[in-house]
Amino acid sequence: MTHREQEEARLLAKRGGENRPLEHCPTAWDGHRSVRVKAGGRDLGLATTAYSYALTDAEKVSAAARISALWNLAAVQGWTTHQINQMAAAAADRT
């Protein structure tokens, strides 16, 4: 097992047996600029807009809220990333 494989195994072990794909786990928006995913009874950092220097503070907050909302919508629906990309492409073709 490579060093990276060992590191990934340790990360997965910390999830306490959570075996759902990450894309099906719910997220929580911190009300500011960070989105955290809930997996295995833990909150794991998923995304932050804190370093998006071209955005205003209000845009950073809005972007983080949107990431969380869209992630949760997809998780509840059980959509894969591939399905989301297909839906986006189909919607773009209609415009």
Side-chain angles (χ1 to χ4, degrees):
M1 186 178 286
T2 68
H3 175 71
R4 181 63 190 153
E5 289 170 335
Q6 291 173 350
E7 187 175 276
E8 288 181 3
R10 282 192 297 274
L11 289 171
L12 291 172
K14 290 180 185 178
R15 295 186 189 168
E18 176 69 64
N19 62 359
R20 286 183 296 173
L22 187 64
E23 63 192 18
H24 293 170
C25 295
T27 64
W29 170 51
D30 72 352
H32 193 50
R33 296 179 279 186
S34 179
V35 178
R36 302 187 68 72
V37 68
K38 294 185 178 291
R42 300 183 63 179
D43 287 344
L44 311 169
L46 178 67
T48 182
T49 60
Y51 306 106
S52 301
Y53 298 116
L55 303 178
T56 67
D57 284 346
E59 289 170 329
K60 291 175 190 178
V61 169
S62 177
R66 187 175 179 96
I67 291 166
S68 182
L70 291 170
W71 183 282
N72 286 332
L73 173 63
V76 167
Q77 295 296 323
W79 296 333
T80 65
T81 302
H82 179 71
Q83 289 171 311
I84 294 167
N85 285 328
Q86 287 180 316
M87 287 184 279
D93 288 344
R94 289 192 299 266
T95 58

